[in-house]
Amino acid sequence: NAGVTQTPKFQVLKTGQSMTLQCAQDMNHEYMSWYRQDPGMGLRLIHYSVGAGITDQGEVPNGYNVSRSTTEDFPLRLLSAAPSQTSVYFCASSHRQVIYNEQFFGPGTRLTVL
Amino acid sequence: ELKVEQNPLFLSMQEGKNYTIYCNYSTTSDRLYWYRQDPGKSLESLFVLLSNGAVKQEGRLMASLDTKARLSTLHITAAVHDLSATYFCVPTSGSRLTFGEGTQLTVNP
């Protein structure tokens, strides 16, 4: 299993540009989520999904869109990038129903918005 | 809203010494994770604590949970340089994890 994969690893955008961060998992996990991590801070939840076709907002959803058309993929779209979105983005997945549903994290995407 | 406070936020310790990281959280949680993050890397799950009084140990790290006090501790025994990392206490409700700022641990020779 590849686990949770994210692309790209690094990205530089100009203010106002749009882009999509990709996340995929091959563990048949129902639950997937996106977090951002700013320097010296923990992770904050952006959006999450409990299954294909179902998404919901987390703590900091503004400026981001998500969709979940398949179990495997959960892309995060930045509609119009702003410098405040400079951060490291982590995707995570887990089984939904198992009580010991450890979340597995991807390697992260480091995004800089100029 | 679930909030997490860890202390200390920064910890510099000598190899061979013992120390404890404390984690307080504000509301009832289903379970609590401890994660480790190395600089520039992703997060690695260390422990999951499911019930009051739970204690887990792996090598030089031991985690415990007191759900009545809403307190978890991560005890480091005879620290070694390889333990240098940031440690996050993550109480969880349903599938939603709540992260604090983490404790940045540096172990010096």
Side-chain angles (χ1 to χ4, degrees):
Chain A
N1 286 352
V4 181
T5 58
Q6 292 183 237
T7 56
K9 285 191 169 63
F10 300 94
Q11 183 70 49
V12 179
L13 293 178
K14 294 181 179 177
T15 296
Q17 286 185 313
S18 62
M19 80 159 294
T20 299
L21 308 185
Q22 301 292 344
C23 174
Q25 51 89 13
D26 61 358
M27 298 173 281
N28 203 30
H29 285 167
E30 301 90 349
Y31 184 87
M32 296 185 74
S33 54
W34 277 102
Y35 295 85
R36 61 176 287 172
Q37 184 177 31
D38 298 310
M41 295 180 68
L43 279 65
R44 291 184 291 169
L45 182 64
I46 304 171
H47 284 285
Y48 65 98
S49 168
V50 298
I54 306 169
T55 65
D56 206 347
Q57 296 181 350
E59 181 185 355
V60 287
N62 291 342
Y64 307 95
N65 271 0
V66 291
S67 59
R68 184 96 179 269
S69 56
T70 68
T71 299
E72 294 78 19
D73 300 298
F74 190 43
L76 178 72
R77 281 183 286 279
L78 280 69
L79 309 172
S80 177
S84 61
Q85 294 179 304
T86 294
S87 190
V88 180
Y89 292 84
F90 289 100
C91 177
S93 74
S94 69
H95 284 300
R96 185 184 175 195
Q97 300 301 330
V98 177
I99 186 170
Y100 179 74
N101 54 352
E102 176 186 353
Q103 292 215 9
F104 294 87
F105 284 84
T109 294
R110 283 149 184 78
L111 175 67
T112 301
V113 182
L114 303 175
Chain B
E1 182 186 345
L2 184 54
K3 292 191 183 297
V4 183
E5 282 189 10
Q6 281 181 239
N7 74 82
L9 297 181
F10 299 93
L11 176 56
S12 180
M13 57 190 298
Q14 283 187 311
E15 280 191 331
K17 298 293 187 183
N18 304 333
Y19 207 85
T20 300
I21 299 170
Y22 295 88
C23 170
N24 288 94
Y25 54 98
S26 59
T27 64
T28 303
S29 167
D30 296 338
R31 61 203 177 281
L32 187 143
Y33 294 96
W34 282 93
Y35 279 91
R36 169 182 172 146
Q37 185 179 36
D38 292 308
K41 302 293 186 183
S42 187
L43 287 90
E44 174 192 358
S45 175
L46 297 173
F47 303 107
V48 59
L49 302 168
L50 297 177
S51 59
N52 188 45
V55 176
K56 294 276 185 76
Q57 182 161 6
E58 180 75 31
R60 301 174 188 274
L61 300 178
M62 183 173 71
S64 66
L65 178 63
D66 181 343
T67 58
K68 293 179 182 177
R70 295 185 189 139
L71 171 69
S72 181
T73 62
L74 181 66
H75 186 73
I76 302 153
T77 301
V80 294
H81 180 70
D82 285 352
L83 291 180
S84 296
T86 298
Y87 293 84
F88 291 99
C89 161
V90 189
T92 301
S93 180
S95 292
R96 297 185 61 166
L97 282 62
T98 301
F99 285 80
E101 293 181 54
T103 295
Q104 188 175 318
L105 171 66
T106 303
V107 181
N108 303 304

